Amino acid sequence: MSDAARDLQAQAAKLDGEDELSAKRAEFALDDTVYLDGNSLGALPAHVPERVADVITRQWGSLRIRSWDESGWWTAPERIGDRIAPLVGAAPGQIVVGDSTSVNVFKALVAAVRIARGTGEGHPEGGRDEIVVDATTFPTDGYIAQSAARLTGCRLVPVAPADVPGVLGERTAAVLLNHADYRTGRLHDLPGLTAAVHAAGALAVWDLCHTAGALPVGLDEHGVDLAVGCTYKYLNGGPGAPAYLYVRRELQDRFDSPLPGWNSHAEPFGMRPEFEAADGALRGRVGTPDILSMLALEAALDVWDGVTVDAVRAKSLALTDFFLRCVEAYVPEGLVEPVTPRAHAERGSQVALRCEGAGDVMKRLIEQGVVGDYRAPDVLRFGFTPLYVSFADAERAARVLARTLG
Amino acid sequence: MSDAARDLQAQAAKLDGEDELSAKRAEFALDDTVYLDGNSLGALPAHVPERVADVITRQWGSLRIRSWDESGWWTAPERIGDRIAPLVGAAPGQIVVGDSTSVNVFKALVAAVRIARGTGEGHPEGGRDEIVVDATTFPTDGYIAQSAARLTGCRLVPVAPADVPGVLGERTAAVLLNHADYRTGRLHDLPGLTAAVHAAGALAVWDLCHTAGALPVGLDEHGVDLAVGCTYKYLNGGPGAPAYLYVRRELQDRFDSPLPGWNSHAEPFGMRPEFEAADGALRGRVGTPDILSMLALEAALDVWDGVTVDAVRAKSLALTDFFLRCVEAYVPEGLVEPVTPRAHAERGSQVALRCEGAGDVMKRLIEQGVVGDYRAPDVLRFGFTPLYVSFADAERAARVLARTLG
């Protein structure tokens, strides 16, 4: 073993020893794999199987239809929304869980355009006809934004996040941004961009898929208007677990959903032909909630008991710093190029490395028990979930990477 | 015991003895409850808990991200769609599973309007500007239809199904109908109404929530254009299990979804900024599929092995006939009034009885182990799922009802 390796392994051991979150790892079903793909699919919290078995066998199997009331199925979307709220800096009553991220982006954008057009004397219906969208975003956001624009008579304006302030104006209705770039891991300036959007009289819609559960978001503090996110990455809700929608309290009575299903009715069991929207965040609900997945997510959220997002963020930055240091020490210069920013303020919870033949390299890493993922055309992506990734994992990942490239 | 009761119980025993589906009941987790609410939430197929445990513990817990390929997660929406297809009379490749019924109604109606407007020389964009909707439908369909109309510049025309032919014309873009009325159990004339809609140059969209798995639908045979349905009633997929969308093969290349998420892209992992729709039914997909609920549904569909929908329909009619006979024999005249049609061609798989104080009556029935449900303002609803409801159940339900009202 080289001196560098001996030194870094000692440092990893020391950092793990001082890690206040280290005990959390035992709450997950993990083997000796170095799992750095929690930014794609979070690991299984160990108590989830038993909880889901109870939902299926007792709640569905024995209580059957009674569980809509007796097992709290009916209120799950808002109850679980309130569990997610503190993780994204939201007071209760502003988040509902349900549907996919894509569907929630659609609700949020159409509703945002409607609010922007209806607000204030100076902005008559039709006065604002542009939706600005992050051109570097995960593609689904752009596709859905295009559809929302088409259906509301808007023009889509795709720009890089840094260029957003330059395109804002009195025609801007809504701006859809990703909090972190899914490919590079770059963290965007949510407070600053939100303020710029507001200064132009438009609404800011944020996609939190790559940040919720990994770093503080501060939705209420920064006056974000609407937000969406998935729950299967850093929130460990399970494959395709339902997404969520945040609607800032002050906007809820103007939230006019394009998907006004019976679950968002003021009186869902009144079975009335006329639609009358429920009060509050419930307006974001649509159809019958998907109970098995929703209650698996609810169980998964128990791992957050006693954890602060600030502690998670501190460990995330320490982990990604340390990983970058190990990569520098182990991997010969020129073989990989970090595309994730060094500056903490600009870094999410992943490290992306540009690398020749990245697809093949990732396959070989996975064969050796280091699981990240590959994003076309040339990016190795390593996600760091502070609840279960250790500094020793980071060191091993860099070491295996160096051996694979060497 | 009265002679009537002795006679009806003997008949029930005989009918159960001759029932070719009687062995199916053992495949469900049922106790001695008479469960007549399978038209709201289907009972648990007994093998589902073990299958879901495997999905969670092995597929998610151990294989983690690899399961998207290795456990067939990615292709689940179309694979499970093909499992549902024979139950609704559809050839493979026309159904995808995912999202709620409400969300699928939205996709279907907006896409139908776009197809109707784009078809033929005589129908330029904007030429067809009416969506006709069943005024007696389950409310969510009407709410969503109103939203689809608003976003596509259409007018909503709510009429009773029988009056649909009278309002069709060259302005009609799409017609949304329920195959069976959720309240009365009346079965609507799918072949005749579809033909009438087509004669007017419009598209027919059917909601199959209350018929799929209970009777033959014949989507392909009758040329239905688009259809949606839930999977948690007669398909026993579990609470809030994902819904499905049928797009007739001939229309698939013109199916222009208002929810074009990355899962409906021709190359989902290409991560390209421009949307290019996938071929075929995949266009109905939106975001990341909800795997736990989806694979619970897939497991639940195993109970259909070796069952024909014709056999199910024959038993359903025999059960509802027999139940009505028992009600007539046991319940003093004037206390309940069947609102479900007597004619087989007009009957779904439920019996609705109008009854004073129906809400309280249903509570007392449930206390006595006869579970149906109540629909405001005055309807007792009893659903008959031929896979697990017996003739003895029907007799007992009527007997307990008579005792409760007596």
Side-chain angles (χ1 to χ4, degrees):
Chain A
M1 190 185 294
S2 71
D3 285 352
R6 199 171 295 115
D7 183 44
L8 287 167
Q9 283 172 35
Q11 284 182 47
K14 181 166 182 296
L15 289 164
D16 281 326
E18 293 162 358
D19 173 19
E20 63 173 289
L21 296 174
S22 62
K24 282 281 157 188
R25 183 184 175 103
E27 296 183 24
F28 289 85
L30 288 165
D31 46 31
D32 62 355
T33 302
V34 175
Y35 190 62
L36 302 180
D37 211 7
N39 55 331
S40 185
L41 176 64
L44 170 67
H47 64 287
V48 165
E50 193 182 331
R51 290 275 289 279
V52 175
D54 179 66
V55 170
I56 295 181
T57 303
R58 187 180 57 84
Q59 297 184 10
W60 173 17
S62 293
L63 295 175
R64 287 181 285 264
I65 195 74
R66 292 163 50 191
S67 275
W68 281 108
D69 290 326
E70 294 179 25
S71 303
W73 290 355
W74 182 261
T75 53
E78 52 270 25
R79 182 176 71 242
I80 303 172
D82 282 347
R83 291 284 300 276
I84 293 171
L87 304 177
V88 293
Q94 301 176 103
I95 296 182
V96 288
V97 174
D99 305 309
S100 66
T101 303
S102 300
V103 170
N104 282 302
V105 167
F106 183 75
K107 295 178 209 169
L109 275 183
V110 173
V113 168
R114 288 173 173 171
I115 293 171
R117 286 178 173 174
T119 305
E121 298 286 313
H123 308 304
E125 174 89 21
R128 290 183 177 265
D129 63 356
E130 290 180 354
I131 296 175
V132 176
V133 63
D134 179 352
T136 63
T137 193
F138 187 77
T140 210
D141 293 46
Y143 307 153
I144 295 288
Q146 179 66 63
S147 174
R150 176 179 173 190
L151 286 165
T152 55
C154 284
R155 190 170 77 89
L156 194 68
V157 183
V159 293
D163 298 332
V164 163
V167 301
L168 298 173
E170 61 188 19
R171 295 185 65 174
T172 313
V175 181
L176 171 64
L177 290 159
N178 260 272
H179 197 191
D181 185 304
Y182 77 100
R183 203 184 311 235
T184 64
R186 175 181 291 274
L187 183 67
H188 297 305
D189 175 14
L190 182 143
L193 288 166
T194 300
V197 170
H198 286 169
L203 278 84
V205 182
W206 285 91
D207 179 334
L208 309 177
C209 285
H210 284 274
T211 53
L215 52 91
V217 177
L219 289 178
D220 287 353
E221 180 186 352
H222 304 303
V224 167
D225 298 300
L226 298 128
V228 303
C230 77
T231 61
Y232 47 76
K233 299 182 189 289
Y234 298 105
L235 299 179
N236 312 302
Y244 58 89
L245 173 69
Y246 164 89
V247 182
R248 182 155 63 86
R249 193 178 306 285
E250 294 72 26
L251 299 178
Q252 290 174 351
D253 62 354
R254 284 175 282 160
F255 182 83
D256 183 2
S257 176
L259 293 170
W262 72 296
N263 273 234
S264 61
H265 197 283
E267 202 193 329
F269 290 94
M271 304 285 161
R272 301 213 308 268
E274 305 78 26
F275 183 74
E276 183 195 336
D279 285 337
L282 297 185
R283 291 189 179 193
R285 289 179 63 161
V286 185
T288 304
D290 197 332
I291 294 301
L292 303 191
S293 295
M294 184 120 19
L295 299 192
L297 165 63
E298 184 172 35
L301 290 170
D302 284 357
V303 298
W304 292 92
D305 289 352
V307 175
T308 69
V309 179
D310 286 337
V312 165
R313 174 60 167 167
K315 181 174 171 185
S316 161
L317 289 171
L319 275 170
T320 49
D321 276 344
F322 184 68
F323 177 68
L324 283 166
R325 210 135 54 77
C326 294
V327 168
E328 259 170 35
Y330 292 155
V331 179
E333 213 174 317
L335 293 185
V336 298
E337 179 203 350
V339 292
T340 302
R342 295 272 166 173
H344 284 179
E346 295 172 14
R347 191 193 303 163
S349 198
Q350 74 181 52
V351 171
L353 302 175
R354 194 164 284 140
C355 171
E356 201 174 316
D360 278 342
V361 170
M362 185 50 72
K363 269 190 205 139
R364 288 161 61 202
L365 289 178
I366 292 170
E367 284 162 12
Q368 297 168 84
V370 174
V371 178
D373 60 23
Y374 157 69
R375 284 295 175 262
D378 60 359
V379 167
L380 299 171
R381 225 174 48 146
F382 301 96
F384 290 83
T385 302
L387 293 185
Y388 55 74
V389 172
S390 67
F391 291 90
D393 287 336
E395 189 274 340
R396 184 173 144 208
R399 193 156 29 92
V400 174
L401 174 64
R403 189 169 69 205
T404 304
L405 294 173
Chain B
M1 189 186 291
S2 70
D3 285 354
R6 198 171 295 113
D7 183 44
L8 287 167
Q9 284 171 34
Q11 285 183 45
K14 180 167 184 293
L15 288 164
D16 282 326
E18 294 163 359
D19 172 18
E20 63 173 290
L21 296 174
S22 62
K24 281 282 157 188
R25 183 184 175 103
E27 296 182 23
F28 290 85
L30 288 165
D31 46 30
D32 61 356
T33 301
V34 176
Y35 191 63
L36 303 180
D37 212 5
N39 54 332
S40 185
L41 176 65
L44 171 67
H47 64 286
V48 165
E50 192 183 330
R51 290 274 289 277
V52 175
D54 179 65
V55 170
I56 295 181
T57 304
R58 187 180 57 85
Q59 296 183 10
W60 173 17
S62 294
L63 295 176
R64 290 183 283 266
I65 196 72
R66 292 163 48 191
S67 275
W68 282 108
D69 288 326
E70 293 178 25
S71 302
W73 289 357
W74 183 259
T75 52
E78 52 270 25
R79 180 176 74 239
I80 303 172
D82 282 346
R83 291 284 299 277
I84 293 171
L87 303 177
V88 291
Q94 300 176 101
I95 295 182
V96 288
V97 174
D99 305 309
S100 66
T101 304
S102 299
V103 170
N104 282 301
V105 167
F106 184 75
K107 294 178 210 169
L109 275 184
V110 173
V113 168
R114 288 173 173 172
I115 293 171
R117 287 178 173 174
T119 305
E121 297 285 315
H123 308 304
E125 175 90 21
R128 290 183 177 264
D129 62 356
E130 290 181 355
I131 296 175
V132 176
V133 63
D134 179 352
T136 64
T137 192
F138 186 76
T140 212
D141 293 46
Y143 307 154
I144 295 288
Q146 179 65 63
S147 175
R150 176 180 172 190
L151 286 165
T152 55
C154 283
R155 190 170 77 89
L156 194 68
V157 183
V159 292
D163 299 332
V164 163
V167 301
L168 297 172
E170 60 188 21
R171 295 185 63 173
T172 313
V175 181
L176 171 65
L177 290 158
N178 259 273
H179 196 191
D181 184 303
Y182 77 99
R183 204 183 312 238
T184 64
R186 176 180 291 274
L187 184 67
H188 297 305
D189 175 14
L190 183 143
L193 287 166
T194 301
V197 171
H198 286 169
L203 277 84
V205 182
W206 285 90
D207 179 333
L208 309 177
C209 284
H210 283 276
T211 52
L215 52 90
V217 177
L219 289 178
D220 286 353
E221 180 187 352
H222 304 303
V224 166
D225 298 299
L226 298 128
V228 303
C230 77
T231 60
Y232 48 76
K233 298 181 188 291
Y234 298 104
L235 299 179
N236 312 301
Y244 57 89
L245 173 69
Y246 164 89
V247 181
R248 182 156 61 87
R249 192 177 308 284
E250 294 73 27
L251 298 178
Q252 290 175 351
D253 61 354
R254 283 175 284 158
F255 181 82
D256 182 2
S257 176
L259 293 169
W262 72 298
N263 273 233
S264 60
H265 197 285
E267 202 194 328
F269 290 94
M271 304 286 161
R272 300 212 309 266
E274 305 78 26
F275 184 74
E276 184 196 334
D279 284 337
L282 296 185
R283 291 189 179 194
R285 290 181 62 161
V286 185
T288 305
D290 197 333
I291 293 302
L292 302 191
S293 295
M294 186 119 22
L295 300 192
L297 165 63
E298 184 171 36
L301 290 170
D302 285 357
V303 299
W304 291 93
D305 289 351
V307 175
T308 69
V309 180
D310 286 337
V312 165
R313 174 61 166 167
K315 181 174 173 189
S316 161
L317 289 171
L319 274 170
T320 49
D321 275 344
F322 184 67
F323 177 67
L324 283 165
R325 211 134 53 77
C326 294
V327 168
E328 258 169 37
Y330 292 154
V331 179
E333 213 175 317
L335 294 185
V336 298
E337 180 204 347
V339 292
T340 303
R342 296 272 166 173
H344 284 179
E346 297 173 11
R347 192 192 303 164
S349 197
Q350 75 181 51
V351 172
L353 302 175
R354 195 165 282 142
C355 171
E356 202 174 315
D360 278 342
V361 170
M362 185 49 73
K363 270 190 204 141
R364 289 160 61 202
L365 289 177
I366 291 171
E367 285 162 13
Q368 296 168 85
V370 174
V371 178
D373 61 23
Y374 157 70
R375 283 295 175 261
D378 61 356
V379 166
L380 298 171
R381 228 174 46 146
F382 302 96
F384 290 83
T385 303
L387 293 184
Y388 54 75
V389 172
S390 67
F391 292 90
D393 287 335
E395 189 276 338
R396 184 173 143 206
R399 192 155 31 90
V400 173
L401 174 64
R403 190 169 68 204
T404 303
L405 294 173

